[in-house]
Structures are given as structure tokens and as C-alpha cells.
Amino acid sequence: MNRHNHDLSTDLNLIIVSHGLASRVFLMKWFKGTIEQFEYLHNISNCEF
């Protein structure tokens, strides 16, 4: 997940299919969030994006 030093011409779009808790954990790791921010997020419902 090296997102700091990359060439903008090689940007990549990803689709992540996951359960609600796993998506929250991924977002917190990706954006380097705090525990308070993690607890503020809600799980995504079925078929929600």
C-alpha cells in the first residue's frame, strides 16, 4: 500500500468486496485513522456502496 510516491498517470481504480467490519478496518489502515474515528464509522449495509 505505497500510496505516497506514485506516478499519477498509473492511477488504478479498485473495487473491494468485503464485509462491513473488514471494510472499516481497511479504511482505517489506509487513511491512518484513530480509534475514535473507527468507532464513529458504521458498518456498510448489504449491497451498499
Side-chain angles (χ1 to χ4, degrees):
M1 287 201 270
N2 185 2
R3 61 194 175 278
H4 298 292
N5 301 321
H6 69 280
D7 183 11
L8 293 178
S9 65
T10 61
D11 280 352
L12 178 66
N13 293 321
L14 298 174
I15 296 175
I16 300 172
V17 179
S18 177
H19 293 281
L21 180 61
S23 64
R24 287 172 55 197
V25 170
F26 174 79
L27 289 172
M28 294 311 295
K29 291 295 286 182
W30 184 262
F31 292 111
K32 298 181 180 179
T34 64
I35 300 295
E36 290 80 20
Q37 291 170 326
F38 178 80
E39 292 173 347
Y40 180 74
L41 292 175
H42 70 280
N43 285 345
I44 298 172
S45 299
N46 292 335
C47 300
E48 186 178 4
F49 58 91

